[in-house]
Amino acid sequence: MSPWKTASRFLAVLPLLALAGCNMVVMAPSGDIAVQQRDLIVISTVLMLLIIVPVIFLTVLFAWRYRVSNTGAKYDPEWHHSTALEVVIWSAPLIIIIALGAVTWISTHKLDPYRPLDRIDAERAIPAETKPITVEVVALDWKWLFFYPDYGIATVNEMAAPVDVPINFKITASSVMNSFYVPALAGMIYAMPGMQTRLHAVINKEGEYEGLSANYSGDGFSHMRFKFHGLQQEGFDQWVARVKAQGTALNRDAYLKLEKPSTKEPVRYYATVDDGLYNSILNMCAHPGKMCMSEMMHIDMMGGGGTESAENRARLEYDSRHDTEEAPAATFPATGNPARSEQPAEGVEQPMSHDMHQGHSMPENDQNSPAPAQLNTNSTTQP
């Protein structure tokens, strides 16, 4: 065998060797929802390849058959139309699109994350006596907090569930938008502050799986991972007992400390949880003195609070502009002042103001003036 043939065969194998280090969990999941999503990916890919492969093959075939050196190929410069060819060219893609549309329509409704499960796996329906387990998920900066309301416990960066038992997830966030994702269990679901998303899933195989944040959310995003344990019922009961035995209390003060940005947070157990803490996080009123979103929406539904509601302004400021402790910022202003500082910019004159509406003042806004430059910084402040 010539050296050139040996080298060409070796180069042909290199792409396969490159794939050897890939984690194929998406294509080999352990939960029924993830399995159905995997099947949808495979079916869609195969349907599209029914068009792509013949097109690639025919392109190569035509280029070879009608090459300049092939004088035996039929040459017909007057040819311009073929009804049979037009039928094939247009009918085949149309059939593929109809098939893809039907599969996507059915799967979109069947795999709706808000839709309760109707089966354990392809061969088993959910037994009538099965009670789903509820897990309330909070995306923090930069860690995951899990509440188990049925057991009165909570954990950080670790969660567990019994095998073949439906899991009802309720998902929210404390600050920025995030995404909850356990590839072996189900697809990713967004976590948003002041809102609650849902996910229904089930794990069918015992094992330890990786969960992660699938939406860039700042400095500690890369380390925002957790372990998901699929356990038999006995093992899950032992895990709950261990959390209760080794955990501490998660009260409002402990949560406010945990909420502060931090990276590479270790696994934490909480044996007790304050009543209503998750709802307070969801309604953005975990901090003392803040109005809950549900209360504000009730006021809006009743037509508003009128002029006397001006006193609620401070209770409705949910951001951290007035925090006394500085959190890590993405940029540092070129003016020299920290982010969100109320101090006047160094070396920058304050804009002139004019009186409006009985003594109230408003700064002038020059829309033609450039915005101050921002300088990126890699420095972070750990709480």
Side-chain angles (χ1 to χ4, degrees):
M1 183 180 294
S2 66
W4 291 107
K5 289 185 177 180
T6 304
S8 62
R9 291 183 179 181
F10 176 74
L11 292 174
V13 176
L14 278 180
L16 298 178
L17 295 177
L19 292 174
C22 295
N23 188 349
M24 299 295 290
V25 62
V26 174
M27 303 308 294
S30 302
D32 184 58
I33 295 297
V35 168
Q36 295 182 68
Q37 292 172 337
R38 184 271 315 272
D39 294 342
L40 177 60
I41 293 173
V42 172
I43 293 172
S44 300
T45 302
V46 170
L47 287 173
M48 289 183 286
L49 286 176
L50 292 177
I51 292 296
I52 296 173
V53 171
V55 168
I56 294 176
F57 173 76
L58 291 174
T59 300
V60 176
L61 176 63
F62 291 164
W64 173 256
R65 178 175 177 79
Y66 296 103
R67 66 193 186 278
V68 174
S69 60
N70 185 12
T71 58
K74 183 181 179 180
Y75 177 65
D76 186 4
E78 301 300 326
W79 182 90
H80 66 280
H81 178 74
S82 171
T83 302
L85 187 60
E86 290 284 347
V87 170
V88 173
I89 290 175
W90 289 105
S91 61
L94 181 61
I95 294 173
I96 298 300
I97 292 173
I98 293 174
L100 275 174
V103 171
T104 304
W105 175 271
I106 295 172
S107 299
T108 299
H109 290 82
K110 187 176 181 181
L111 298 176
D112 182 358
Y114 283 68
R115 182 175 180 265
L117 301 184
D118 55 6
R119 73 181 200 182
I120 297 296
D121 54 33
E123 288 79 28
R124 295 176 295 171
I126 298 178
E129 66 277 6
T130 300
K131 180 182 179 182
I133 179 175
T134 300
V135 181
E136 297 167 338
V137 183
V138 181
L140 303 174
D141 294 328
W142 286 276
K143 47 202 169 276
W144 292 96
L145 174 61
F146 302 100
F147 293 94
Y148 287 78
D150 298 332
Y151 300 91
I153 61 174
T155 60
V156 171
N157 285 344
E158 181 181 284
M159 69 164 295
V163 172
D164 293 339
V165 174
I167 312 170
N168 297 342
F169 289 99
K170 300 177 180 179
I171 306 170
T172 189
S174 64
S175 57
V176 300
M177 183 175 177
N178 224 298
S179 186
F180 175 78
Y181 188 31
V182 183
L185 182 70
M188 58 180 145
I189 302 295
Y190 283 121
M192 295 168 281
M195 301 180 67
Q196 177 177 270
T197 50
R198 304 291 295 267
L199 172 64
H200 294 82
V202 61
I203 193 71
N204 300 120
K205 297 179 182 178
E206 190 174 2
E208 182 181 284
Y209 307 99
E210 184 179 22
L212 64 148
S213 167
N215 191 81
Y216 181 73
S217 57
D219 184 56
F221 159 77
S222 298
H223 303 288
M224 195 172 172
R225 299 173 178 268
F226 64 93
K227 293 298 182 182
F228 171 68
H229 300 280
L231 305 170
Q232 297 296 334
Q233 186 62 53
E234 181 180 358
F236 177 74
D237 294 338
Q238 294 175 357
W239 180 82
V240 172
R242 183 168 68 252
V243 173
K244 291 184 176 181
Q246 301 178 6
T248 58
L250 182 60
N251 52 30
R252 193 66 61 95
D253 293 336
Y255 168 75
L256 294 178
K257 293 178 181 178
L258 179 67
E259 185 189 40
K260 295 179 180 179
S262 62
T263 59
K264 298 183 180 180
E265 193 73 20
V267 173
R268 299 179 185 273
Y269 292 156
Y270 297 98
T272 60
V273 179
D274 273 8
D275 292 338
L277 181 57
Y278 171 78
N279 286 329
S280 297
I281 300 170
L282 172 61
N283 285 283
M284 302 180 69
C285 55
H287 289 260
K290 296 301 180 184
M291 178 183 291
C292 293
M293 297 287 290
S294 57
E295 182 182 355
M296 181 176 65
M297 288 186 288
H298 176 73
I299 293 175
D300 292 342
M301 183 180 67
M302 300 302 293
T307 57
E308 65 274 8
S309 64
E311 62 186 25
N312 289 330
R313 177 179 178 181
R315 300 176 62 199
L316 294 172
E317 291 179 350
Y318 295 102
D319 56 25
S320 57
R321 288 178 297 172
H322 304 291
D323 282 354
T324 57
E325 299 183 10
E326 284 296 327
T331 58
F332 195 89
T335 57
N337 288 345
R340 298 185 295 274
S341 173
E342 296 184 354
Q343 297 297 325
E346 297 177 3
V348 179
E349 296 183 0
Q350 289 292 96
M352 299 296 293
S353 61
H354 58 277
D355 293 336
M356 295 179 64
H357 302 295
Q358 300 179 355
H360 293 281
S361 62
M362 181 177 294
E364 293 182 352
N365 183 18
D366 185 2
Q367 297 181 354
N368 296 323
S369 61
Q374 299 287 323
L375 299 179
N376 291 331
T377 177
N378 294 326
S379 60
T380 57
T381 303
Q382 297 299 329

